Amino acid sequence: MDLVIRNLRASVAGKPILRGIDLEIRAGSVAALMGPNGSGKSTLANVLMGHPAYAVESGSATLGGVDVLGLPPHERALLGLFLAFQYPVEIPGVTVAKFLKRAVEAREEASARAAGREYGGMDVSAYLRELRAAMDFMGVDRSFINRALNEGFSGGEKKRMEVLQMLMLKPRLALMDETDSGLDIDALKVVAAGANRLRGPDFGALVITHYNRILEHLKPDVVHVMYKGRIVVSGGPELVERLEGEGYDWVREEAAAAPAEIEALAAEASA
Amino acid sequence: MSAPVPAGPVAAVPAAGKPSSVPAAAAAGPVAASSVPIDAPASADPGVGEYQFGFSYPDKSVFRTRKGLDEEVVRAISELKEEPDWMLANRLRALAAFGKKPMPAWGADLSDIDFDEIVYYARPQDRPKGSWDELPEEIRETYRRIGVPEAERKFLAGVGAQYDSEIVYHSIRADLEKKGVIFCSPEVAVKEHPDLVRKYFGTVIPHNDNKFAALNTAVWSGGSFVYVPKGVKVDIPLQAYFRINSESFGQFERTLIIADEGSFVHYIEGCTAPVYATDSLHSAVVEIIALPGSRVRYSTIQNWSSDVYNLVTKRAVAYAGATMEWVDGNIGSKRTMKYPAVFLMGEGAHGEVLSIAFAGKGQEQDTGAKIIHAASNTSSTVTSKSISKDGGVASYRGMVKVGEGLRGIRSRVVCDALIVDPRSTSNTWPTMEVLSDDVAMEHEARVSKIGDEQLFYLQSRGLGEAEASAMIVNGFLDPLVKQLPMEYAVELNRLIELEMEGSVG
Ligand SMILES: Nc1ncnc2c1ncn2[C@@H]1O[C@H](COP(=O)(O)OP(=O)(O)O)[C@@H](O)[C@H]1O
Ligand SMILES: [Mg+2]
C-alpha cells in the first residue's frame, strides 16, 4: 500500500513542528528518514499513527488511498500501519502473550472483514507456534512471553520486542523510529533481519535513523533528510555516506540557501 | 419449625408469589409483613444496565418484618430463631447501643440511609436445604445464574447460600465433617455448638463497637459459622454466597470463624443483588479467631448492585505464630465502608490485607485496613490498589498501630491508585501510631493516571480505547489478582472488563 503525504503541517502544544511534509512511500519500498535531533522525525511518525498530543493543521496522509488522519489510532493499525516506537512504554501487569494475542486477533479480524471474509476466530495454538518462532528469530528468550510488556526490559530488549510485534502483526507500512539506536552489533543485525523478513511487495517502511549501519542491512530505496520540519534533501543511498562523512552542516547550509523558505519559516514562527 | 408463627408479633404472609395486597389484619399488627411482588428487570435502569446480576424474582418470602427497627422487631427475629435468652439479651443490648451510637462522622456520605424505610428481616423459605433441587425454583435459578452450584462442583469444599435473611442451602464435604470441621449457619451453631459460640461471639467485635456493628448484633441473621479443629487443613475453600433479593432491604449476616491451633482454612464470600430504585443496606460483622499457629485466609469479591450501602465490620485476632490474610475486593455497591482489621496478639503473628477497590459512576469505595501490633516480633503487610473512573471516589483509609514496649515489629503499607479519567478521585488517608522503638515501618503511596502514552501504545497495536484502558486496569490489578484462586481471578478480571466497557471514549 502506498503511503502518500501531502503538504502535512502539524503542531504540538501550539508550536508548529511539521511545516509542510511531502513524502511518498511506494508499496514494497523502504525509505530512510534522517535529520538532526529535533527536526520532527518522531513527530511525523506520531502524527501518522494518530498520537493525541499532535494536532494536524493541514495537509493529508493516505494509506492505500484511505485518509488515515481522520481515523482513531487503532483503525490505522487495523489498516496495516505500524509504529515501532523510539521509546516504547512499559505496561505493568499486561503480559506479552496476552497483549499480542489480542492485537493479532484484532488485526486478523480486521483483515478478514476488509477481504469480505467471515472471521472464524483465532487459532490459538498456531498463534503460539508463530509467536515462539518469532521470539526465537528475534533472539527474545521465551520466558518473555509471560513478562509484563516492556516492564524492566533493557533498551535493546524493548527494541527487539517492537520488531517482534511487527513480525506478528505483519503491517503493510511500518514506521521504525530509531529502532537501531543504542543497539550493539548483534542486536542491530537481528532488528534488521526482522524488518527484512517482512520485505516484499506488500510491505513498505519508513526507517528513521541516524546511522548507516542499519541501512547497510536494510538497503533503502530512497533517503530523505528532514530539517526543521521539512524534507530538505532526498536522494539515493549515497546520501547516507555523505551525511556520515560530513554531518548535517551542509544540509543546514542548503536549507539556508533557500531564502524564500527561510522567510516562510520566520513568518510562521512569528504568527 | 415448619411454619412461621402466625400469632404473636410476627405476621405470616402466604408464600404465594402472585401480586397480593397485604392482609388488613397483618398490616394492623405490630410487625406487619408485606409481600410486594418485585420484578424489575436489570434493564429497568439504563445507568446500571451493565450489572449482569441485576435480575430479580418476585419476592416470595414466607414472611418478613415490617419496615423500621425497634425492640419488637428484634424480639420477633430472636423468637423466630428460637434463640436462647443470652442471645436475645445480647441483641437487645446492641439495639440500645445502636440507638446511642452516632453515625460515623468521616468516610463515605451515608446521609441518604433512612433506617425507618428498611426491612430488617425477610425469610425466603422454611429451613435450609442440603440439595439445590429442594430449593424453590426462583432461588435455585438465582444461584444457578450466579454460578454457585457449578463452582461448588468444581472447586469448593463447602457452600453456604444466603437469600435475604436466611441461609437457604448448606453443604460441606463429608470427609471434612468427619475430621470435625464445622461449617454451618450461625443459627445452627447457636443451637448445636453453644459453648463455642458463647466463648467467641462478640469477643472480637463488641456489640457496641460502632453503629453498624451494633445494628448487626441486634438484628443479625444468617452468615457462617466455621470451626476448624487443631491441625486440620481444609485444602480447598469454603464459600458463602450472599444474595439480596428484596427491595429496601437490610442484610445483616454474621460470621464467626475459629481456626484452632495449627489449622488452615480459606473462606470465600461472594455477593450480588438486583438493581432497584431504592437503596438496600448490607451490614455484616465478621469475627475471626486465628489460634496459635493457624492460618486463615478470607477472600471477598463484593459485587453488590449500585444501590446497596455496604457497611461492614471485619476483624480478626491472630495469636502466636498465626497468620491472618484478608483479600478484599470491592467492585460493586453505592457506598462501601470497610476496613478489615487484624489484631496481632502473640509473637510471630502475621497479618496481611490485600484490598482492591473499583469506584465507578456514582460509587464511593472507602476501604482500607487496620493492623494492631500488640505483641513483639509481629509483622504486617497492607497492599491496596484502587481504581476510580467515571466520577467515582476511591479512598484508602488505613491505620497501623504499634503498642508500647514491643520489639521486632515490621510493617509495610503500599497503596497504589489508578485514576482513569479527570472526573474521578482517589484519596489516601494513612494513620500510624507507634509507641515502640524497635519498629521497621514502610509506607508507599502512588497515584497514577492512565497515561496517554500507554493508551496510545496499545491503540497503535489495534486495540480500541475502551479495550486498551481495560487492559491497563487489569494489568494494574494483576499482582493482586494473581494471589486469588484462579476461578476468582478470572471472575474479577471479567467484572473489571464489564465495568470498563463502553464507558470510555
Ligand atoms: N509531545 C511533545 N510535546 C512538546 N514538544 C514536543 C513533543 N514532541 C516533540 N516535540 C518537539 O518537537 C520538536 C521535534 O521533535 P521530534 O519530532 O522528537 O524530533 P526528532 O525525532 O527529529 O528528534 C522538538 O522541538 C521537540 O521538543
Ligand atoms: Mg525522534
Side-chain angles (χ1 to χ4, degrees):
Chain A
M1 274 196 301
D2 294 353
L3 174 69
V4 180
I5 303 168
R6 292 270 180 258
N7 194 26
L8 181 61
R9 287 167 187 268
S11 61
V12 58
K15 192 170 100 178
I17 307 291
L18 302 184
R19 301 159 181 276
I21 301 282
D22 284 292
L23 192 68
E24 287 185 22
I25 301 171
R26 297 266 157 236
S29 75
V30 170
L33 181 62
M34 306 184 80
N37 281 330
S39 304
K41 305 180 298 294
S42 293
T43 299
L44 176 63
N46 278 308
V47 165
L48 291 172
M49 200 69 238
H51 193 296
Y54 301 84
V56 174
E57 307 293 348
S58 62
S60 67
T62 58
L63 184 64
V66 179
D67 175 14
V68 295
L69 298 181
L71 299 175
H74 71 282
E75 288 181 23
R76 304 182 195 201
L78 298 177
L79 267 184
L81 192 63
F82 181 88
L83 171 56
F85 285 81
Q86 184 173 1
Y87 304 110
V89 292
E90 304 192 350
I91 318 256
V94 175
T95 63
V96 169
K98 183 187 162 169
F99 153 72
L100 254 182
K101 174 173 173 283
R102 268 305 294 143
V104 169
E105 193 173 35
R107 177 100 169 88
E108 283 179 357
E109 192 180 358
S111 305
R113 208 185 316 121
R117 274 184 288 119
E118 181 100 4
Y119 182 56
M122 189 179 206
D123 179 345
V124 177
S125 54
Y127 156 74
L128 284 173
R129 263 197 312 278
E130 192 185 338
L131 178 58
R132 286 194 206 102
M135 291 180 102
D136 294 349
F137 185 84
M138 289 307 299
V140 174
D141 192 276
R142 289 200 186 166
S143 64
F144 277 63
I145 284 188
N146 291 316
R147 295 256 319 251
L149 187 56
N150 295 327
E151 198 180 37
F153 289 17
S154 71
E157 286 164 349
K158 285 182 182 166
K159 296 301 179 73
R160 288 177 198 240
M161 188 54 63
E162 292 295 289
V163 179
L164 172 70
Q165 292 176 39
M166 189 168 92
L167 286 178
M168 294 299 293
L169 293 171
K170 302 179 194 64
R172 306 219 255 182
L173 195 114
L175 309 163
M176 300 178 70
D177 192 358
E178 295 201 28
T179 308
D180 57 333
S181 289
L183 295 186
D184 60 34
I185 301 285
D186 290 343
L188 185 91
K189 278 189 188 151
V190 166
V191 162
N196 277 331
R197 204 176 159 176
L198 289 171
R199 268 188 102 151
D202 286 335
F203 175 75
L206 180 69
V207 179
I208 299 172
T209 182
H210 288 299
Y211 308 104
N212 193 19
R213 299 188 303 178
I214 190 161
L215 298 178
E216 279 167 3
H217 295 284
L218 289 182
K219 307 212 179 349
D221 302 290
V222 52
V223 178
H224 302 286
V225 180
M226 189 188 275
Y227 181 61
K228 290 195 175 164
R230 278 179 207 211
I231 306 292
V232 292
V233 187
S234 298
E238 73 286 350
L239 248 184
V240 183
E241 274 158 45
R242 184 163 178 204
L243 287 171
E244 284 231 310
E246 302 178 28
Y248 286 111
D249 283 350
W250 64 276
V251 173
R252 293 195 179 94
E253 279 159 29
E254 213 147 289
E261 293 192 2
I262 299 281
E263 271 162 39
L265 283 182
E268 239 173 31
S270 61
Chain B
M1 228 185 40
S2 57
V5 199
V10 181
V13 163
K18 65 176 158 61
S20 63
S21 55
V22 180
V31 183
S34 67
S35 172
V36 185
I38 298 151
D39 198 5
S43 58
D45 181 350
V48 284
E50 294 158 21
Y51 182 71
Q52 74 173 133
F53 301 116
F55 61 89
S56 65
Y57 289 99
D59 177 9
K60 290 188 180 174
S61 39
V62 294
F63 70 72
R64 43 170 48 208
T65 56
R66 63 161 155 77
K67 280 181 182 175
L69 179 61
D70 55 23
E71 190 173 326
E72 267 172 344
V73 170
V74 171
R75 284 183 180 277
I77 294 171
S78 181
E79 186 174 329
L80 193 86
K81 293 182 185 294
E82 298 171 337
E83 279 178 355
D85 290 344
W86 57 267
M87 186 55 84
L88 174 62
N90 197 46
R91 286 180 184 276
L92 293 174
R93 198 163 57 136
L95 179 68
F98 170 69
K100 283 190 219 118
K101 283 263 166 190
M103 291 289 273
W106 42 273
D109 176 6
L110 306 178
S111 57
D112 284 347
I113 299 179
D114 185 348
F115 289 109
D116 296 332
E117 281 302 308
I118 292 170
V119 172
Y120 288 81
Y121 181 85
R123 159 169 287 217
Q125 64 169 20
D126 294 338
R127 54 169 60 243
K129 301 294 194 285
S131 111
W132 294 105
D133 292 339
E134 293 172 56
L135 289 174
E137 195 179 333
E138 294 88 347
I139 297 180
R140 189 171 68 229
E141 188 57 15
T142 296
Y143 289 106
R144 193 194 62 73
R145 285 172 73 173
I146 296 167
V148 178
E150 194 193 348
E152 177 185 20
R153 278 195 304 275
K154 285 189 184 154
F155 60 90
L156 295 171
V159 168
Q162 178 159 347
Y163 197 83
D164 290 341
S165 294
E166 294 286 344
I167 294 286
V168 292
Y169 171 84
H170 228 289
S171 78
I172 178 166
R173 238 172 48 191
D175 60 315
L176 291 173
E177 202 168 16
K178 266 196 214 112
K179 284 184 191 159
V181 176
I182 303 169
F183 179 37
C184 63
S185 70
E187 286 87 346
V188 169
V190 166
K191 292 203 177 86
E192 294 179 7
H193 311 283
D195 295 346
L196 277 172
V197 176
R198 288 195 82 160
K199 185 168 175 192
Y200 292 110
F201 190 98
T203 58
V204 185
I205 301 172
H207 74 280
N208 57 357
D209 187 81
N210 65 72
K211 191 169 184 79
F212 289 94
L215 175 61
N216 174 284
T217 308
V219 297
W220 72 265
S221 184
S224 296
F225 177 83
V226 177
Y227 172 77
V228 187
K230 273 185 193 170
V232 173
K233 314 247 194 256
V234 182
D235 52 349
I236 57 174
L238 303 175
Q239 187 186 33
Y241 203 94
F242 298 97
R243 173 76 179 173
I244 292 179
N245 188 63
S246 297
E247 186 170 4
S248 299
F249 176 72
Q251 190 175 60
F252 305 96
E253 90 266 10
R254 181 93 191 188
T255 290
L256 177 58
I257 298 176
I258 302 145
D260 214 326
E261 293 176 24
S263 68
F264 169 72
V265 65
H266 182 187
Y267 177 93
I268 298 175
E269 173 197 292
C271 31
T272 55
V275 177
Y276 291 122
T278 57
D279 297 330
S280 282
L281 174 61
H282 173 253
S283 192
V285 165
V286 177
E287 297 179 284
I288 296 178
I289 295 101
L291 291 168
S294 68
R295 179 171 159 222
V296 178
R297 167 175 265 219
Y298 190 111
S299 302
T300 307
I301 296 181
Q302 173 271 107
N303 186 27
W304 293 114
S305 58
S306 54
D307 46 13
V308 173
Y309 281 89
N310 185 43
L311 309 167
V312 171
T313 310
K314 290 184 167 172
R315 195 174 297 163
V317 287
Y319 291 97
T323 292
M324 174 65 213
E325 300 159 279
W326 295 104
V327 177
D328 201 50
N330 292 291
I331 310 296
S333 83
K334 178 175 182 177
R335 309 250 184 283
T336 284
M337 287 174 71
K338 178 158 38 123
Y339 322 95
V342 187
F343 284 57
L344 300 164
M345 307 302 287
E347 289 218 21
H350 176 70
E352 204 155 319
V353 180
L354 290 180
S355 159
I356 304 167
F358 190 108
K361 190 174 168 203
Q363 287 185 297
E364 202 173 338
Q365 305 284 11
D366 201 287
T367 61
K370 190 170 171 182
I371 307 274
I372 311 291
H373 290 266
S376 290
N377 301 315
T378 50
S379 57
S380 61
T381 311
V382 175
T383 314
S384 155
K385 293 231 176 200
S386 74
I387 293 152
S388 44
K389 175 178 167 283
D390 289 336
V393 180
S395 303
Y396 170 81
R397 198 179 294 276
M399 136 103 54
V400 177
K401 217 170 176 169
V402 179
E404 244 173 302
L406 303 179
R407 291 163 292 102
I409 306 293
R410 280 176 297 125
S411 176
R412 181 174 152 81
V413 178
V414 180
C415 304
D416 269 338
L418 184 68
I419 301 176
V420 174
D421 55 57
R423 285 168 296 156
S424 305
T425 309
S426 162
N427 300 305
T428 307
W429 284 297
T431 311
M432 287 181 196
E433 218 179 293
V434 181
L435 302 175
S436 298
D437 296 330
D438 183 11
V439 173
M441 246 198 209
E442 281 176 65
H443 176 85
E444 284 171 40
R446 278 184 297 265
V447 179
S448 45
K449 300 194 165 87
I450 287 196
D452 288 344
E453 301 303 326
Q454 290 176 326
L455 265 184
F456 179 59
Y457 188 91
L458 297 181
Q459 288 174 282
S460 79
R461 301 306 188 235
L463 306 180
E465 188 176 352
E467 185 177 1
S469 58
M471 200 176 259
I472 294 168
V473 167
N474 271 325
F476 169 80
L477 289 178
D478 183 69
L480 276 199
V481 171
K482 273 203 193 111
Q483 310 204 28
L484 297 176
M486 217 261 285
E487 291 76 9
Y488 287 81
V490 170
E491 171 71 0
L492 189 71
N493 277 332
R494 216 171 40 79
L495 291 176
I496 298 280
E497 261 148 35
L498 281 174
E499 295 281 338
M500 294 297 297
E501 240 167 47
S503 40
V504 184

